[in-house]
Amino acid sequence: MKEMLKRIFLVAFILLVLTAVSGFFYLQKHPMNSMKATGKNLNFSGRISK
């Protein structure tokens, strides 16, 4: 039981780190400063709102 919990937490931690690293590299390619300059914001559906 204890080993299974350790494995679950380890997998969750690895997925969290991979998500953070991929998000960091995504923001390096697509900086958000250009969106601020246009005065438009991107909402959760992906549509651009003024």
Side-chain angles (χ1 to χ4, degrees), residues 1-17:
M1 183 70 178
K2 206 172 187 181
E3 286 295 319
M4 193 170 74
L5 281 176
K6 274 187 189 178
R7 187 171 293 166
I8 289 172
F9 279 118
L10 184 68
V11 169
F13 181 73
I14 289 173
L15 286 176
L16 194 66
V17 168

Side-chain angles (χ1 to χ4, degrees), residues 4-47:
M4 193 170 74
L5 281 176
K6 274 187 189 178
R7 187 171 293 166
I8 289 172
F9 279 118
L10 184 68
V11 169
F13 181 73
I14 289 173
L15 286 176
L16 194 66
V17 168
L18 285 176
T19 305
V21 169
S22 64
F24 174 76
F25 284 119
Y26 178 80
L27 284 179
Q28 293 297 313
K29 279 190 173 182
H30 308 279
M32 298 185 85
N33 291 335
S34 62
M35 285 173 47
K36 286 181 187 173
T38 60
K40 295 178 181 178
N41 289 329
L42 206 64
N43 57 14
F44 286 110
S45 63
R47 295 186 183 131

